[in-house]
Amino acid sequence: MRRSALTRCSALVAGATLVAGLAQPAVAASNGHDTTPGKGSELQLTQFVNPFIGTAVSSTSGYAGNVNPGAQVPFGMVDFGPDMPRTNFNGSGGYLTAANATSGKVNFFSLTHLNGPGCPGQGVVGMMPASTPQAVSTAAGKPVGVGFKTATESAHPGEYAVTLDNKVGVDLTATTRTGMAQFTYPDKDSGYFSLDTRLNANSNSSSGAGKISAANTALTVADDGRVLTGKTVAPAFCTPYGTQFNSNVYFYLEADKPLRAQADGSTVNTVSNGATVLQYDLTDKDPTLTVRVGISSVSVANAKLNLKTENARSTFDQVRAQADATWNTRLNSIQVGEAARPASLTAGQRTDLTKFYTGLYRVFGSPTTYSDVNGDFRSMEATAPYPSGVDTTGGVPDRPVANVRDYTYKKPDGSTGRYATHYSSLSMWDTYRSQAQLLAMLAPDVASDVMQSLVVDGEQCGAFPHWVDASDDSTPMAGDNALPVLAASYAFGAKDFDVTTAARLAKQSVFDPTSSCNGRASMSEPETYLRDGYHADATSANIEQYAGDHAAAAFFSALPDRVLADPRVDVTQADIARLDDRSSWWKNIFDFTNGTIVARKAPTTPGVPGSLEPGSYHESTEPNYFWSFGYAWPDLISTIGGKTSAVDRLNTLFSVDSALTKVPTLQQLNGGQDSQGFYMGNEMGFPAPWAYNFAGKPASTQYVVQQLMRTAFSTARDGLPGNDDMGALSSWYVFAGLGMFPVSQAEGGLALSTPQFSDVTLRLGKHQVRILTDQDAATSPFIRSLRVDGRSQDRSSLSLDRLVSSSALRYSLSSTATTWATTTDPTGPTTSRTTLQLSAGTQTQGTTAPVTATAAVTFGDDVAQPGTVVFRDGLKVLAKAPLGVGGAATVTVPATTGVGLHLVTATFVPADRTRVTGSTSRVDLLWVGLAHH
């Protein structure tokens, strides 16, 4: 039987599907909502979102959030916003200003941006309005750039606006697959608009600008200028460290006014090298130009179809209002009670709400829709030989066109499954620690389609991809990170996808040394890893590999037996045991003398591990990586000498003391990738604050999490401690605000801390869970007690199935540290209690009215668990019965029971002893007498 760091979960109820497109003219959402949270009403939550948070470089980590304040709907293919000059990898999301900037420079506005990446990508269909015939770029394709004052900027979910120094006002909004812009010019004669198909995210770097060849793009302008169509090039993600493939984005643009005629010989209203400068015929009464544009990975025809389906006739204000309403519905998946009373908020409460809902907004910003309204998308099926490098001129290989309708599957219950939307932008190394879990909890419909997209990608390219941008596999980070994303999503509620094919691909990833996606190996150097138990001269890569092995084992263990037994899968308990063993191979790179994670040289003698050597830690340091694999914390803590040693190590990491009197600084909590202290700005440290729970000091978890939320995050432009990485940092903050975190990422359990708000309603499908505290965590950050549906919770973790079956979690808080949950193992089994009731105390042997024995089993701090009840007469077994619904089992005392006094007991034998202990009832007496003749 597997023992995990946190217990596995049962299914979540799927949430309702949301449609973001505008097939018909939109109607603005009413402001007359009932403001009582948790009763099916919607609160007005978009008012608490600030898309500029994270757009500047953190003063401590040196990295920006790399988010873009552009216009997007949840999971939208389009993110219509500004592209600015980049500094190294800062600005990879397209936007970058200083924290206190009063001005900035826009290179161009584009239709696609990634949400907080550490590497550049996308940024296509580059355009710029101007009041003079100024091209958006030089003849060589390098952006010219236009200044602006930050005081003229505004951003809101579904809208971005700015007034440029060229005196043109820009207002952008979006549907799922289309963007819409409204340009306001200073007068009727200044209606210039420039577009260059050669521009993309690499154009924002001086070293990458101007490299795309017009021969690899296309642009056509209708004679009257009302329709522009063409093909652009989305650059290979993370050039040159990621994928080797560029991809195309096609567009179909409509303008609401015709071109103004030009004098003979004018270059205005002409196309050259994939670019154009157009002048539109404005009037004094209406000096505006409105453009709407659809995009597609497949064709101009599909881009037009997307536009005509989602935004054929709607006004700008209608599209903007619908985007706001769509965002508001998604944000209402978590309702904070304070948000129902915005007029009475204190400055501190408004700040906390803004940080929280901006984080939730970013969580729903990715992955992004990739399929068109008709289901088409560019396949990941590439043809060997694969290129060894990126064609920086923008060459894009031909690929088949796939459709979501091509992929139906059989569910474990035998019914037919299908998916509606194919997704891209899967930054799985970043998202497997928190974003995947939160998305599966709050939007299992979307998360299931994301997992089906991952399965389809794997079928097309030969194996699970590592990091999906557009239709390509990128490998900027170590590990086969699809496995923990898959396991986490399934554990936290995303179950409506082809789990049989997913299991087949997962087995291939961990057991087949030849497994690869378009030539990119699932496992680096698999033969030596499987032979030696480690990758030589590596640390981070090993930790990621062990985490992937654990995730595969957790995923297989959670699947129905019929899936594992399917001939296409054929995973045995022995296979799972092998993976469990491999997940403990972190001990192969552990220095038991110094208690640190290091590296190991290649063996010099077959079968004998090589010698230890200093570790190599990607983007961080050993103290942060030490706590990155929460599934092994019990063993890890034991290995370093126990709980006291663990607390000392954690105190050093977070710059606190056991008395919790030291207040760590921002620099100490976000020291950057070379810091020996904590680095909040990158993912490997995400679980670490909750490690105190496992070291017997949960009050320190409660203290440190609150310090991180209040110190390392703010509402300023530099308010994120590092790259948001497709919602990774933001999801950490949302989980922390709820007082929980999935430290063992591939399994359905949550380590607990103090909720940030006094009243929160989680909407999990059709089920709602209230999280309530009796005091403000700002002044009372410590947990005195917790009751779940009235039952005491004495462990500092909660199984997900208990959370989603509960109605209310009620915390009592304290201003001083408490002993709550200090004496119970967070991951140990809960207790059970068995009682026995006989229907009668006497029975006549051979009677036709037999006595029944009923056992009732209750569980200390968990939901009912499966098992068997064994009824005994002394040591002799009378009968056995499975524990039924409601925790009861009833059997008939056999009519052949011998004459005399019988000592009857009932013993509950759990199916999973790591989840719950067994228990035996008190003795009940039964007298069996002779029949009278």
Side-chain angles (χ1 to χ4, degrees), residues 757-793:
F757 302 103
S758 60
D759 184 357
V760 174
T761 299
L762 286 178
R763 290 180 165 182
L764 307 175
K766 296 180 180 179
H767 181 66
Q768 296 188 357
V769 181
R770 296 284 296 278
I771 302 174
L772 305 162
T773 68
D774 62 353
Q775 297 182 67
D776 187 350
T779 56
S780 300
F782 302 105
I783 300 173
R784 188 189 306 276
S785 66
L786 168 60
R787 299 187 72 81
V788 181
D789 286 350
R791 293 162 59 189
S792 178
Q793 168 79 18

Side-chain angles (χ1 to χ4, degrees), residues 607-854:
V608 178
S611 60
L612 295 177
E613 61 182 343
S616 56
Y617 313 97
H618 187 76
E619 297 182 356
S620 193
T621 56
E622 192 274 345
N624 286 276
Y625 266 102
F626 188 88
W627 301 103
S628 64
F629 47 108
Y631 71 85
W633 280 353
D635 282 347
L636 192 67
I637 289 171
S638 175
T639 300
I640 62 174
K643 295 180 178 180
T644 300
S645 296
V647 169
D648 290 343
R649 187 179 297 235
L650 288 164
N651 286 348
T652 300
L653 179 65
F654 292 110
S655 300
V656 299
D657 58 1
S658 288
L660 302 179
T661 58
K662 291 177 63 177
V663 179
T665 65
L666 172 58
Q667 183 65 53
Q668 289 172 325
L669 294 177
N670 193 43
Q673 64 182 29
D674 297 323
S675 172
Q676 296 300 306
F678 191 60
Y679 179 21
M680 182 69 250
N682 215 347
E683 286 79 6
M684 65 290 299
F686 278 11
W690 286 270
Y692 282 111
N693 285 0
F694 292 73
K697 197 81 165 49
S700 293
T701 286
Q702 298 151 31
Y703 178 76
V704 166
V705 171
Q706 292 294 320
Q707 292 295 327
L708 283 163
M709 295 177 72
R710 299 189 183 282
T711 304
F713 294 81
S714 79
T715 58
R717 286 180 179 247
D718 62 349
L720 287 180
N723 302 154
D724 197 34
D725 287 328
M726 316 307 279
L729 265 180
S730 292
S731 58
W732 183 97
Y733 190 93
V734 172
F735 264 129
L738 297 175
M740 55 187 69
F741 194 80
V743 297
S744 182
Q745 297 97 350
E747 296 161 307
L750 297 155
L752 298 178
S753 53
T754 310
Q756 183 181 23
F757 302 103
S758 60
D759 184 357
V760 174
T761 299
L762 286 178
R763 290 180 165 182
L764 307 175
K766 296 180 180 179
H767 181 66
Q768 296 188 357
V769 181
R770 296 284 296 278
I771 302 174
L772 305 162
T773 68
D774 62 353
Q775 297 182 67
D776 187 350
T779 56
S780 300
F782 302 105
I783 300 173
R784 188 189 306 276
S785 66
L786 168 60
R787 299 187 72 81
V788 181
D789 286 350
R791 293 162 59 189
S792 178
Q793 168 79 18
D794 297 323
R795 292 190 294 176
S796 57
S797 69
L798 190 69
S799 65
L800 186 65
D801 50 353
R802 188 173 187 211
L803 173 68
V804 301
S805 65
S806 301
S807 297
L809 280 62
R810 297 181 181 272
Y811 289 83
S812 175
L813 302 185
S814 168
S815 60
T816 57
T818 71
T819 59
W820 175 78
T822 56
T823 60
T824 53
D825 182 352
T827 62
T830 188
T831 59
S832 67
R833 179 173 179 267
T834 301
T835 58
L836 174 65
Q837 181 69 49
L838 299 179
S839 62
T842 61
Q843 175 173 293
T844 301
Q845 190 177 49
T847 181
T848 58
V851 171
T852 58
T854 299

Side-chain angles (χ1 to χ4, degrees), residues 262-337:
Q262 303 296 309
D264 291 344
S266 173
T267 58
V268 174
N269 297 352
T270 63
V271 175
S272 177
N273 289 323
T276 188
V277 177
L278 307 173
Q279 185 183 19
Y280 282 89
D281 199 12
L282 311 181
T283 64
D284 287 327
K285 186 177 179 180
D286 183 18
T288 65
L289 176 68
T290 299
V291 301
R292 61 187 81 216
V293 53
I295 61 172
S296 166
S297 67
V298 171
S299 65
V300 169
N302 272 21
K304 179 180 180 180
L305 180 64
N306 288 340
L307 180 65
K308 295 301 184 181
T309 303
E310 292 189 355
N311 187 12
R313 302 177 303 278
S314 301
T315 68
F316 187 91
D317 287 343
Q318 287 174 329
V319 176
R320 175 173 53 191
Q322 181 62 38
D324 178 86
T326 304
W327 273 116
N328 204 60
T329 297
R330 279 293 180 193
L331 295 176
N332 268 273
S333 60
I334 304 179
Q335 294 185 329
V336 177

Side-chain angles (χ1 to χ4, degrees), residues 422-436:
H422 192 85
Y423 288 91
S424 184
S425 305
L426 279 69
S427 177
M428 292 183 282
W429 183 91
D430 305 292
T431 59
Y432 83 71
R433 297 166 173 86
S434 53
Q435 197 266 354

